[in-house]
């Protein structure tokens, strides 16, 4: 008896998943080398105390952007999880990519240590000498790749050029080596020995996902109405099993054998499911031979129950999009106020009375040139001509990105006292600027000049 397969929709995800793995790997590996105006797209440098964001450099005094970045990251995670479940885990997470690279490519395709990729439940027989030799080769290959991956991770904190210069002088950069070896050792232990147990027991994402899910969240869903299983999608309430004639699941358990986290998707949504959809691909092959559509698909529980399309636009997704938009606007606004130079002002002492009733105030000015070129800097008092600069008497040069501490002495020869018993606090506005810049580089800071009581003069 022939089966009409003309109306059967066959969707296999493995090709799309592998393309996503390749794109993600290339993107993560290449991003540290992509520069805009000589700055990285993203770099959090503890060495230079800088944050590079889309080619713009922010120094430690400008780290007010970090809360916006963290809020943006968490909102994006919440939105993505509510919309598409653990799609990150199965399609872009480095843990999943590394496991596929080690288990499916190195062990299975390259070394034939695993005979069949269709069965993830069976481990290789390590009592055989040939398998022990293959396992050793696989471990050596992964150790090399682990150091490459660890280096790639470090490039987001140490620029690649600095990184390669530092490792040539390891005794002077011990902490760099400690982090490099620590990350590599973790990757070796994680991918070779911990395996998917990291996703099941250690990853905090699996614990928060159930709070973010709703009945419209896209996930790997088994069609229990067609399949005839006794569990509902939540795996709690038991359903009456349909008659054998109407149950389409043939009990081949291909979906169970292929699962990297060793779950039975027929029991409904489980924390261990990473949305890799390998079970769907396995079911597609089996059911396709019978002229039927897969029993496992990437959809929502409500869409399965109601036999309709997934509802993407709902209150939660709209709320997340609005919150993301507000955060992005705030981030763009705050980043647009970035200053081309930085200045911190600290008072050094109270005041000093010189001859002829001259009053001096001392300050410590900490300048930082955040531009990529050196400039000559100076400053002036904007709002009070009676207060003048005694020191420094001339401009000073600051190299690109350099911090410069300057002792500043301001004085006045005029009587500015406003009280006979108390000191007078006079607000002053200081304008600092670059003398040799084609475009205006200037900032304004406020401080106070303290004048003694008139009785003390």
């Amino acid at each position: 008896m022939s089966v009409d397969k003309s109306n059967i929709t066959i969707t296999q995800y493995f090709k799309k998943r592998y393309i996503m793995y390749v794109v993600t790997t290339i993107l993560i590996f290449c991003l540290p080398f992509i520069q805009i105006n000589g700055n990285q797209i993203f770099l959090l440098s503890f060495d230079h105390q800088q944050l590079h964001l889309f080619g713009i450099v922010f120094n430690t005094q400008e780290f007010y952007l970090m809360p916006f970045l963290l809020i943006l990251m968490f909102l994006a995670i919440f939105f993505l999880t509510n919309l598409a479940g653990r799609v990150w885990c199965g399609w872009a997470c480095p843990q999943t990519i590394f496991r596929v690279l080690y288990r499916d490519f190195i062990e299975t395709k390259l070394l034939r240590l695993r005979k069949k990729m269709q069965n993830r439940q069976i481990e290789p027989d390590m009592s055989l000498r040939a398998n022990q030799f293959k396992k050793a080769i696989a471990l050596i290959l992964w150790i090399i790749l682990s150091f490459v991956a660890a280096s790639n991770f470090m490039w987001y904190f140490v620029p690649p050029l600095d990184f390669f210069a530092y490792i040539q002088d390891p005794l002077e950069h011990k902490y760099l080596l400690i982090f490099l070896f620590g990350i590599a050792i973790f990757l070796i232990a994680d991918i070779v020995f911990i395996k998917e147990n990291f996703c099941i027991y250690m990853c905090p994402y699996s614990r928060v996902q159930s709070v973010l899910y709703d009945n419209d969240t896209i996930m790997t869903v088994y069609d229990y109405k067609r399949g005839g299983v006794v569990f509902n999608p939540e795996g709690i309430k038991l359903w009456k099993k349909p008659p054998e004639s109407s149950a389409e699941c043939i009990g081949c358990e291909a979906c169970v054998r292929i699962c990297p986290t060793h779950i039975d998707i027929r029991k409904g949504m489980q924390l261990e499911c990473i949305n890799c959809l390998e079970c769907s691909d396995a079911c597609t092959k089996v059911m396709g031979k019978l002229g039927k559509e897969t029993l496992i698909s990437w959809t929502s529980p409500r869409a399965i129950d109601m036999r309709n399309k997934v509802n993407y636009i709902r209150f939660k997704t709209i709320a997340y999009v609005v919150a993301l938009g507000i955060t992005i606007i705030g981030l763009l606004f705050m980043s647009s106020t970035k200053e081309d130079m930085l200045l911190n002002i600290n008072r050094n002492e109270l005041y000093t009375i010189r001859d002829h009733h001259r009053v001096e105030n001392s300050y410590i000015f900490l300048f930082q040139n955040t531009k990529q070129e050196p400039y000559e800097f100076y400053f002036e008092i904007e709002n009070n001509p009676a207060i003048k600069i005694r020191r420094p008497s001339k401009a000073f040069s600051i190299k690109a990105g350099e911090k410069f501490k300057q002792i500043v002495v301001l004085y006045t020869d005029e009587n500015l006292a406003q009280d006979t018993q108390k000191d007078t606090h006079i607000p002053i506005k200081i304008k600092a600027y670059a003398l040799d810049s084609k475009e205006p580089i200037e900032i304004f800071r406020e401080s106070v000049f303290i004048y003694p009581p008139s009785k003390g003069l």
Side-chain angles (χ1 to χ4, degrees):
M1 178 179 175
S2 61
V3 179
D4 182 14
K5 301 182 181 181
S6 60
N7 295 323
I8 302 300
T9 302
I10 298 177
T11 303
Q12 290 188 299
Y13 296 97
F14 73 95
K15 291 182 180 179
K16 298 177 182 179
R17 193 166 56 246
Y18 290 158
I19 291 173
M20 188 65 184
Y21 292 164
V22 173
V23 171
T24 302
T25 302
I26 293 174
L27 184 64
I28 293 176
F29 191 87
C30 293
L31 270 181
F33 294 95
I34 301 174
Q35 295 187 344
I36 302 175
N37 298 325
N39 304 314
Q40 289 184 216
I41 290 180
F42 179 83
L43 171 71
L44 182 58
S45 173
F46 296 100
D47 185 18
H48 299 289
Q49 298 183 348
Q50 292 179 338
L51 169 66
H52 292 205
L53 190 62
F54 299 109
I56 302 175
V57 178
F58 298 91
N59 293 275
T60 50
Q61 298 176 23
E62 301 172 292
F63 272 16
Y64 51 79
L65 291 176
M66 288 303 295
F68 286 90
L69 290 174
L70 292 174
I71 292 171
L72 184 65
M73 181 184 70
F74 282 108
L75 282 176
I77 291 174
F78 295 161
F79 169 69
L80 188 64
T81 305
N82 181 257
L83 182 69
R86 291 182 73 175
V87 63
W88 161 262
C89 298
W91 291 70
C93 178
Q95 162 78 16
T96 302
I97 296 174
F98 290 157
R99 276 297 293 165
V100 169
L101 179 61
Y102 177 76
R103 179 195 60 220
D104 296 351
F105 179 72
I106 295 178
E107 287 192 339
T108 306
K109 289 288 186 181
L110 186 62
L111 300 176
R112 303 293 180 182
L113 181 61
R114 296 173 182 268
K115 294 182 179 180
K116 290 185 178 181
M117 199 182 297
Q118 286 79 12
N119 196 332
R120 300 276 168 71
Q121 315 301 319
I122 300 177
E123 292 294 325
D125 184 2
M126 298 311 300
S127 64
L128 301 176
R129 284 187 174 273
N131 285 353
Q132 293 175 4
F133 179 71
K134 291 178 180 179
K135 188 72 173 181
I137 295 177
L139 183 59
I140 292 171
L141 291 175
W142 182 247
I143 289 174
I144 296 172
L145 292 176
S146 293
F147 276 95
V148 174
S151 301
N152 182 215
F153 178 79
M154 293 295 297
W155 295 339
Y156 287 89
F157 301 92
V158 181
L161 291 179
D162 292 350
F163 176 85
F164 291 119
Y166 291 167
I167 60 175
Q168 295 177 31
D169 190 9
L171 294 180
E172 292 295 324
H173 303 91
K174 298 177 182 178
Y175 289 109
L176 176 69
L177 291 182
I178 290 173
F179 277 102
L180 179 64
F181 276 85
I183 295 169
I185 291 171
F186 169 77
L187 289 175
I188 295 167
D190 177 29
I191 303 304
V192 178
F193 302 103
I194 299 177
K195 306 174 185 178
E196 279 76 21
N197 288 324
F198 180 89
C199 305
I200 299 172
Y201 300 109
M202 301 172 65
C203 179
Y205 190 28
S206 64
R207 299 297 177 259
V208 301
Q209 65 171 340
S210 58
V211 180
L212 300 172
Y213 278 15
D214 58 36
N215 283 333
D216 291 304
T217 299
I218 304 173
M219 62 184 78
T220 307
V221 180
Y222 173 74
D223 192 342
Y224 61 94
K225 290 187 176 181
R226 286 177 51 210
V229 74
V230 295
F231 296 92
N232 75 338
E234 287 75 30
I236 301 174
K237 183 180 178 181
L238 294 179
W239 291 76
K240 182 179 180 181
K241 189 171 182 179
E244 291 296 330
S245 58
S246 63
E248 297 183 33
C249 179
I250 63 174
C252 66
E253 296 195 347
C255 59
V256 178
R257 292 194 299 270
I258 198 68
C259 180
T261 56
H262 301 183
I263 65 171
D264 188 345
I265 194 62
R266 297 173 299 176
K267 295 182 179 180
M269 194 279 285
Q270 297 157 74
L271 293 178
E272 296 83 357
C273 179
I274 60 173
N275 260 7
C276 65
L277 291 162
E278 295 210 31
C279 55
S280 178
D281 289 340
C283 188
T284 297
K285 291 180 181 179
V286 175
M287 298 303 291
K289 294 176 181 179
L290 301 176
K292 298 179 180 180
E293 292 187 358
T294 179
L295 296 171
I296 305 170
S297 55
W298 197 17
T299 184
S300 69
R302 193 188 303 276
I304 287 290
D305 284 337
M306 306 302 294
R307 290 295 190 256
N308 55 15
K309 295 182 179 180
V310 177
N311 181 21
Y312 295 100
I313 303 175
R314 52 191 190 273
F315 175 78
K316 285 186 178 180
T317 56
I318 294 174
Y320 281 126
V321 169
V322 171
L324 281 169
I326 293 173
T327 306
I328 291 173
I329 292 172
L331 180 62
L332 292 175
F333 174 77
M334 297 297 289
S335 62
S336 66
T337 61
K338 172 180 165 52
E339 297 174 320
D340 294 319
M341 63 178 293
L342 301 176
L343 172 60
N344 277 346
I345 300 176
N346 295 308
R347 291 187 52 79
N348 200 18
E349 56 186 36
L350 187 57
Y351 52 76
T352 303
I353 303 175
R354 304 291 185 185
D355 295 336
H356 307 293
H357 305 292
R358 170 176 287 189
V359 176
E360 296 181 350
N361 278 213
S362 296
Y363 305 82
I364 298 177
F365 282 22
L366 180 61
F367 292 88
Q368 184 171 3
N369 178 11
T370 62
K371 302 290 284 184
Q372 301 297 314
E373 302 85 18
Y375 288 106
E376 293 282 328
F377 289 96
Y378 202 55
F379 60 94
E380 59 188 39
I381 310 301
E382 279 279 291
N383 60 338
N384 198 324
I387 300 174
K388 302 176 182 178
I389 302 171
R390 177 174 176 269
R391 178 183 176 186
S393 58
K394 60 182 181 179
F396 41 88
S397 178
I398 306 179
K399 298 179 181 178
E402 185 181 47
K403 293 181 180 179
F404 182 80
K405 184 183 291 187
Q406 176 68 57
I407 302 298
V408 174
V409 179
L410 305 181
Y411 75 94
T412 183
D413 292 324
E414 301 182 21
N415 188 350
L416 303 179
Q418 299 176 3
D419 196 293
T420 59
Q421 303 293 330
K422 298 180 181 180
D423 292 336
T424 301
H425 291 69
I426 304 169
I428 57 174
K429 187 176 183 180
I430 297 170
K431 173 186 175 182
Y433 52 90
L435 298 173
D436 51 351
S437 174
K438 295 180 181 179
E439 299 178 356
I441 298 178
E442 58 185 26
I443 57 172
F444 296 88
R445 293 290 186 268
E446 294 183 354
S447 187
V448 294
F449 185 93
I450 300 180
Y451 197 89
S454 57
K455 186 177 181 180
L457 293 173

